[in-house]
Amino acid sequence: MKPAHLALAVLVAAVWGVNFTVIDIGLAHFPPLLFSALRFLVAAVPAVFFVGRPKVAWKWIVAVGLVLGVAKFGLLFIGMDTGMPAGLSSLVLQVQAVFTALFAFLFLGERPTRVRVSGMAVALAGIGVAAVDEGTSGPMTAFVLVVLAAVCWGASNVLTRRAAPPDSLNFMVWVSTVPVLPLLGLSLLREGASTDLDALRGLDWQGAGTVAYVAWVTTVFGFGAWGWLLRRHPASSVAPFSLLVPVFGMTSAAVVLGEGVSPAQWCAAALLVGGVALTSLPSPRGWWGARRAEREPERAAAEGAEGAEAAGPAPGAVRV
């Protein structure tokens, strides 16, 4: 990767990591489900008028919108609102890679290698350490909600793979149109119309800034830049940069919010990041193909086209 592309990959990881601190600040201004609804509303409008028509079937847009937008982000925002620290949330959510591999095995027939199974076990051990630490120092319910959010993220990754969107920004913007009304409805039921109206009446520059960040910077810029990188480089070269997300998440939470990191959390971080790294490793054949594509692009492209013609259409890449 060129230095500029490396810098962009690190920038996206930083944007996504700092996002957890911004969410924590935003939750002081909005109830969680309303905040999540506003995030997707601002991400979708006006971008939806500039990205063109959807490039995949509506069934995939609706499915990912409900699982990722309503379930994953609803659970994450509620979990953080009920006491889950921002830095720990950025770390625990990375276990989505384990659930992605598990769901891909169950529903796509992708048998994981022994290395990936070992990585899943290591990452789950990290979750266990974090759960024990959080159970003695914070609300366990909030921790469980964030883990469930990671489960939903894993499910949405597999749905995204089945959808195989050719344009990740177009797909994400259209997906953002789906959760708005369900989240608003759930907010009215759970948080109440008066609470929502009070939050909107009291909107100030800081609250508006958090919505703008989680919508435009995290969603539109983040997913757009990540998709741009994936179109120009092998996924095995881009995906490892996502491991920097909890580094930026925990650092920004410590600097801005004053969150401390216990020795147990450092241990959990090492296990989780190491396990996710193993889980995300490509197979030897996939790694060799990626390296060969970089060294002999014309020959690799020709052989790849022959293989694709023989095997049928590829299922697409999981966005993690």
Side-chain angles (χ1 to χ4, degrees), residues 12 16 168-169 172 218-229 231:
V12 173
W16 285 344
S168 59
L169 178 59
M172 195 61 206
T218 301
T219 303
V220 178
F221 166 75
F223 279 93
W226 196 256
W228 186 87
L229 288 168
R231 287 194 296 274

Side-chain angles (χ1 to χ4, degrees), residues 69-139:
V70 179
K72 182 253 184 173
F73 279 101
L75 290 168
L76 173 64
F77 280 38
I78 294 173
M80 291 182 64
D81 187 61
T82 53
M84 185 68 168
L88 187 58
S89 296
S90 72
L91 175 65
V92 169
L93 206 61
Q94 295 308 308
V95 79
Q96 57 83 19
V98 173
F99 293 113
T100 298
L102 178 61
F103 290 140
F105 168 67
L106 293 175
F107 300 108
L108 301 180
E110 298 181 1
R111 187 175 297 276
T113 63
R114 291 182 180 179
V115 172
R116 286 184 175 176
V117 172
S118 299
M120 293 167 67
V122 172
L124 291 175
I127 286 291
V129 171
V132 171
D133 181 67
E134 187 65 14
T136 59
S137 61

Side-chain angles (χ1 to χ4, degrees), residues 249-278:
M250 297 177 77
T251 301
S252 64
V255 172
V256 178
L257 304 176
E259 291 184 2
V261 183
S262 68
Q265 287 179 3
W266 282 121
C267 178
L271 290 170
L272 263 170
V273 172
V276 169
L278 289 173

Side-chain angles (χ1 to χ4, degrees), residues 142-170:
F143 181 90
V144 172
L145 288 174
V146 175
V147 173
L148 291 175
V151 174
C152 294
W153 194 2
S156 72
N157 284 336
V158 172
L159 289 170
T160 300
R161 179 166 185 139
R162 290 294 302 273
D167 184 337
S168 59
L169 178 59
N170 172 281

Side-chain angles (χ1 to χ4, degrees), residues 48-70:
V48 72
F49 298 110
F50 299 98
V51 297
R53 301 181 66 178
K55 294 178 171 59
V56 300
W58 268 103
K59 64 179 181 179
W60 299 119
I61 293 174
V62 172
V64 175
L66 293 176
V67 176
L68 179 70
V70 179

Side-chain angles (χ1 to χ4, degrees), residues 131-254:
V132 171
D133 181 67
E134 187 65 14
T136 59
S137 61
M140 192 61 189
T141 301
F143 181 90
V144 172
L145 288 174
V146 175
V147 173
L148 291 175
V151 174
C152 294
W153 194 2
S156 72
N157 284 336
V158 172
L159 289 170
T160 300
R161 179 166 185 139
R162 290 294 302 273
D167 184 337
S168 59
L169 178 59
N170 172 281
F171 182 67
M172 195 61 206
V173 168
W174 280 103
V175 162
S176 296
T177 65
V178 175
V180 178
L181 291 179
L183 285 169
L184 284 175
L186 290 171
S187 179
L188 290 173
L189 290 174
R190 182 181 184 272
E191 296 155 353
S194 60
T195 301
D196 289 350
L197 288 174
D198 288 344
L200 294 174
R201 290 193 191 103
L203 182 65
D204 57 16
W205 67 268
Q206 189 178 61
T210 60
V211 173
Y213 184 94
V214 299
W216 292 333
V217 181
T218 301
T219 303
V220 178
F221 166 75
F223 279 93
W226 196 256
W228 186 87
L229 288 168
L230 285 170
R231 287 194 296 274
R232 284 158 179 80
H233 302 282
S236 58
S237 299
V238 179
F241 285 92
S242 66
L243 296 176
L244 294 174
V245 171
V247 175
F248 287 109
M250 297 177 77
T251 301
S252 64

